[in-house]
Amino acid sequence: MLIEDNLIVEFKKVSKIYPPNIPALKDISFVITRGEFVFLTGPSGAGKTTLLKLLFRAETPSDGEIWVDGIEVSSISRGQLPFLRRKIGVVFQDFKLLQDRSVLENVGLSLEIMGYGKKQIEKRVKQILNAVGLKGKENVCVAQLSGGEQQRVSIARAVINRPSILLADEPTGNLDKQRTKEVIELLEELNAMGTTIILATHDESLFKNTHRRVLFLKNGRMEA
Amino acid sequence: MLFPIMIKRAIRDFRANLGIQLGTCFVIALSVLVVSFFSTLYVNFLNITEQLGTKLGIVVYIKSGNEDQVPQIYQKLSKLDGVLSVKYISPKDALKKLKRYFKDEPQILEGIKPSIFPPSFEVQVKQALLNPEKLAQIAKEISSWPLVEKVQYGRGWVQSLSGISKIVKLLLMISAIIVLLAMAFVVANTIKLTLYSRKNEIEILRLVGATSGFIRIPFMLETLAQSLIGCLIAFSIVYLGSFYFRNLISHNVILASIGFIFLPIKYTLIITSITIFVCLITTLFSINRALNL
């Protein structure tokens, strides 16, 4: 169990070794409190993506414990996994959107799987699109949007069901400077509304002049 | 609340992949058509052999001088388990039958009196060909009765026809299994293709927290629709073909007297159920394997 109620993530001596014997993470321990905005950084291959994957159980740790919002992630069954993932929003560098579908269909997917009706979905999607600066774009096909807009759609999908935590894996990796700034501002706004955010990036400029906590990974180890 | 959404997703996916879906329907229809064709052949073969088998009934000869016992023997024969009908042939009837047989050479039967023929019964047994042992058992039982002179039946014919019937049944089952396996293979490949074309969508669905059922059930519904459409096409062809064939043989006296039987509803339901079952199991197996569920 988490010792303090305001802890939302806790890694306890977590290691991940990929077969045949490739270590990705070694003895990682840290905590994140509710409402925090944490940057996870390090060079390519340092283990940032692996760490995020462990959080939403796309991977399981070889050793150690991972707690997310009171749940020990590696011990949950396959049947419980979808319910864990509904608590975690994930944003990727390549957006992972259905290019042939509308913004409404993409963003509404997170609600559709939970059994929300069409009207409720439309209402919530409009609200969230307003919040991410995509007002009136609900019926536009995703393929017609710019990279920055697509990332906003991806963020909207990730947060529409109000997850406890948002994981962003290089969310600005495919964006220019201006779009990067817009996305970071959007994430700041979401954080201000109470969403815990873990942003993995190798771009130092994103956190250079910030007061946010930065977790640094190198060769699978966490450095101070 | 989730099931209507799953149905909508299934309909949308069916439309989106119409080419693949209709291709699968066509393969299922073809498979069902082959099985139905052999089944129709089988039921008609069974009908013909049954007709022959019924005609090859048991003839029971009664000892002369026991004509007064005929009603009792008739009752006893009628009550035997498996007996379809009993017909009494008096000595006079026997002579008449013989006269009809030799109608072109009546001199052969000149001076012959009915009394030389023993009274007899023609006994027809239910499904004699499907159960030749039963026929033999009835014949054996009757022959043990004290008033019975002799019991005759076409043992050889019945056994031969029964043997052929069993071979045809076996061939039908083997062909059905082969066709169903081929169908399962095609359905599995269609599902693989569909899963591959929707790999991205499935990955996203899992990412946002869709349950396995939410991903799996629309696929199952699509397969159910494919199976039903396939069966509908196949049975429409079978029944239209049967109508055409029945009309065709109605002009031929010999074939018309044998008659043509449509594929019974019972067979249609069995084939449909097996098709749906095989397709659903194949789909479930393919999805579970692809999704590593």
Side-chain angles (χ1 to χ4, degrees):
Chain A
M1 284 290 291
L2 292 174
I3 298 163
E4 293 175 46
D5 277 350
N6 67 339
L7 290 186
I8 195 159
V9 172
E10 184 173 13
F11 269 56
K12 287 181 180 176
K13 297 189 171 184
V14 174
S15 295
K16 175 67 186 173
I17 300 165
Y18 287 108
N21 190 22
I22 304 159
L25 291 174
K26 292 168 209 159
D27 205 22
I28 303 286
S29 294
F30 67 91
V31 293
I32 293 174
T33 52
R34 207 174 286 274
E36 225 183 331
F37 191 140
V38 177
F39 285 94
L40 180 66
T41 192
S44 294
K48 303 186 291 290
T49 300
T50 301
L51 192 146
L52 294 187
K53 280 184 172 175
L54 288 171
L55 274 168
F56 64 95
R57 245 288 288 273
E59 298 286 354
T60 47
S62 309
D63 199 14
E65 281 180 22
I66 301 165
W67 291 83
V68 175
D69 206 10
I71 300 167
E72 210 286 279
V73 173
S74 52
S75 69
I76 61 166
S77 65
R78 273 182 201 277
Q80 289 174 307
L81 188 56
F83 303 99
L84 169 79
R85 292 200 174 152
R86 289 176 194 180
K87 289 184 167 198
I88 303 171
V90 191
V91 177
F92 295 92
Q93 182 177 357
D94 60 354
F95 320 135
K96 293 211 187 298
L97 294 172
L98 299 166
Q99 294 292 324
D100 58 339
R101 309 272 171 89
S102 69
V103 171
L104 174 69
E105 285 175 287
N106 271 279
V107 179
L109 201 63
S110 302
L111 299 178
E112 196 183 346
I113 58 145
M114 290 159 78
Y116 279 78
K118 199 180 168 187
K119 282 184 181 171
Q120 285 172 298
I121 291 176
E122 278 178 8
K123 192 181 164 191
R124 289 277 293 274
V125 169
K126 278 181 184 173
Q127 283 173 349
I128 201 79
L129 289 182
N130 280 347
V132 299
L134 290 172
K135 191 179 177 183
K137 299 256 184 182
E138 53 269 25
N139 294 316
V140 177
C141 183
V142 161
Q144 293 174 322
L145 299 175
S146 68
E149 286 173 320
Q150 290 198 27
Q151 192 58 289
R152 283 163 181 270
V153 173
S154 162
I155 293 168
R157 184 189 63 198
V159 298
I160 195 167
N161 61 351
R162 301 183 184 110
S164 321
I165 183 166
L166 178 69
L167 310 177
D169 190 7
E170 302 278 4
T172 58
N174 282 341
L175 306 179
D176 60 32
K177 227 172 184 179
Q178 181 56 30
R179 307 286 169 230
T180 297
K181 193 177 165 230
E182 287 170 10
V183 166
I184 294 299
E185 279 171 4
L186 175 62
L187 293 175
E188 294 275 5
E189 281 171 32
L190 290 168
N191 178 241
M193 286 190 275
T195 311
T196 306
I197 295 176
I198 303 177
L199 193 155
T201 181
H202 66 273
D203 183 359
E204 283 184 25
S205 70
L206 296 184
F207 55 85
K208 206 160 62 182
N209 299 315
T210 178
H211 61 283
R212 308 291 188 191
R213 186 151 66 105
V214 180
L215 300 174
F216 191 81
L217 279 174
K218 195 176 179 186
N219 295 327
R221 287 189 186 277
M222 193 156 278
E223 298 199 344
Chain B
M1 198 58 195
L2 273 174
F3 197 66
I5 294 171
M6 291 175 194
I7 293 173
K8 278 182 199 164
R9 288 186 70 84
I11 294 170
R12 192 188 60 201
D13 296 339
F14 198 97
R15 282 182 183 163
N17 301 290
L18 202 61
I20 298 175
Q21 306 280 5
L22 290 180
T24 313
C25 289
F26 178 72
V27 172
I28 293 172
L30 213 62
S31 311
V32 173
L33 196 63
V34 172
V35 175
S36 304
F37 174 73
F38 280 113
S39 302
T40 309
L41 277 185
Y42 177 69
V43 291
N44 278 282
F45 174 78
L46 215 61
N47 175 45
I48 295 165
T49 51
E50 259 317 296
Q51 283 186 25
L52 285 171
T54 307
K55 281 169 189 164
L56 291 168
I58 302 170
V59 181
V60 181
Y61 296 100
I62 307 299
K63 286 176 183 166
S64 294
N66 289 299
E67 282 82 353
D68 56 325
Q69 295 293 313
V70 164
Q72 287 86 330
I73 297 169
Y74 181 88
Q75 288 295 323
K76 211 174 164 185
L77 284 169
S78 302
K79 282 177 187 168
L80 278 175
D81 181 39
V83 167
L84 185 70
S85 66
V86 179
K87 189 182 174 190
Y88 173 62
I89 310 289
S90 67
K92 280 182 186 174
D93 293 335
L95 183 59
K96 273 186 203 167
K97 234 178 169 179
L98 209 59
K99 278 180 178 172
R100 272 203 303 275
Y101 192 74
F102 290 109
K103 65 180 177 185
D104 297 329
E105 297 157 288
Q107 68 279 5
I108 293 174
L109 299 173
E110 262 177 30
I112 291 178
K113 288 179 181 171
S115 57
I116 70 155
F117 297 103
S120 64
F121 289 93
E122 282 178 6
V123 180
Q124 292 182 344
V125 176
K126 284 177 200 164
Q127 296 187 311
L129 285 175
L130 291 180
N131 198 356
E133 292 82 13
K134 183 80 185 169
L135 189 71
Q137 184 198 327
I138 291 171
K140 194 179 172 189
E141 187 181 341
I142 297 169
S143 62
S144 68
W145 295 352
L147 297 176
V148 171
E149 177 76 45
K150 192 180 175 187
V151 172
Q152 274 186 343
Y153 74 100
R155 181 196 292 261
W157 270 99
V158 170
Q159 280 173 346
S160 302
L161 284 171
S162 173
I164 293 168
S165 171
K166 278 177 184 164
I167 290 169
V168 171
K169 194 174 180 178
L170 187 71
L171 285 175
L172 173 73
M173 286 179 81
I174 291 170
S175 65
I177 289 168
I178 292 170
V179 169
L180 286 173
L181 284 175
M183 183 177 74
F185 180 74
V186 173
V187 170
N189 277 305
T190 311
I191 292 295
K192 268 184 210 163
L193 277 175
T194 317
L195 285 169
Y196 187 76
S197 70
R198 281 153 61 185
K199 203 177 160 191
N200 193 25
E201 185 183 348
I202 291 165
E203 188 190 348
I204 293 166
L205 278 170
R206 299 184 81 179
L207 203 68
V208 297
T211 57
S212 304
F214 189 88
I215 299 170
R216 201 189 289 160
I217 289 170
F219 280 102
M220 307 293 279
L221 291 172
E222 284 169 45
T223 303
L224 183 67
Q226 287 169 347
S227 314
L228 289 173
I229 293 170
C231 288
L232 193 71
I233 295 170
F235 291 127
S236 302
I237 295 171
V238 168
Y239 282 99
L240 286 174
S242 298
F243 269 118
Y244 176 75
F245 188 70
R246 197 162 75 164
N247 281 338
L248 205 69
I249 66 163
S250 65
H251 305 298
N252 185 308
V253 182
I254 298 168
L255 290 175
S257 70
I258 294 168
F260 178 79
I261 294 181
F262 278 33
L263 188 66
I265 293 293
K266 189 178 88 179
Y267 278 64
T268 311
L269 293 175
I270 291 171
I271 294 170
T272 305
S273 307
I274 292 173
T275 303
I276 291 172
F277 179 76
V278 169
C279 290
L280 286 181
I281 288 290
T282 309
T283 303
L284 192 65
F285 184 72
S286 302
I287 296 174
N288 285 355
R289 212 171 139 187
L291 301 182
N292 192 23
L293 292 174

